[in-house]
Amino acid sequence: MLSSEILKLETENQELKEMLRILSKDTSKPKDCRHCKYYIQYYCRDNHGNFRTIYAGHCICGVPSRKRNGKRNPTPEETCLCYEGRG
């Protein structure tokens, strides 16, 4: 009885793993700065000494900011012409 329940759970586990694998292939990241390989995120230290993300950063793509729609210090929601995913 216990072995049949274990077999059923293992089968369900395999099915769920396969579903996760399929779903993870189909999801693509949005083309915003936080997913760009040229975006450097800014951080600050909180009162406890831990680093926290602040919602700003800078772009190191080498394209002049006038050609990137003036986004020298983009926010994570923005995107520019030199976007390239982090792979």
Side-chain angles (χ1 to χ4, degrees), residues 27-44:
T27 57
S28 60
K29 293 181 180 175
K31 290 186 175 183
D32 58 11
C33 286
R34 92 186 106 200
H35 301 293
C36 180
K37 77 177 194 177
Y38 299 115
Y39 181 69
I40 304 298
Q41 179 68 52
Y42 291 161
Y43 296 90
C44 69

Side-chain angles (χ1 to χ4, degrees), residues 5-71:
E5 290 179 19
I6 291 173
L7 180 62
K8 189 166 68 169
L9 287 173
E10 286 180 352
T11 305
E12 181 183 1
N13 191 19
Q14 290 297 325
E15 291 171 359
L16 290 172
K17 282 182 181 180
E18 181 64 21
M19 289 172 67
L20 278 174
R21 187 183 65 77
I22 292 169
L23 288 174
S24 66
K25 278 186 179 179
D26 295 339
T27 57
S28 60
K29 293 181 180 175
K31 290 186 175 183
D32 58 11
C33 286
R34 92 186 106 200
H35 301 293
C36 180
K37 77 177 194 177
Y38 299 115
Y39 181 69
I40 304 298
Q41 179 68 52
Y42 291 161
Y43 296 90
C44 69
R45 228 178 254 262
D46 64 10
N47 295 338
H48 305 289
N50 300 320
F51 285 101
R52 301 285 179 191
T53 302
I54 60 173
Y55 296 99
H58 71 274
C59 185
I60 59 168
C61 72
V63 176
S65 63
R66 68 181 177 278
K67 292 186 180 180
R68 290 185 277 128
N69 301 327
K71 295 178 176 132

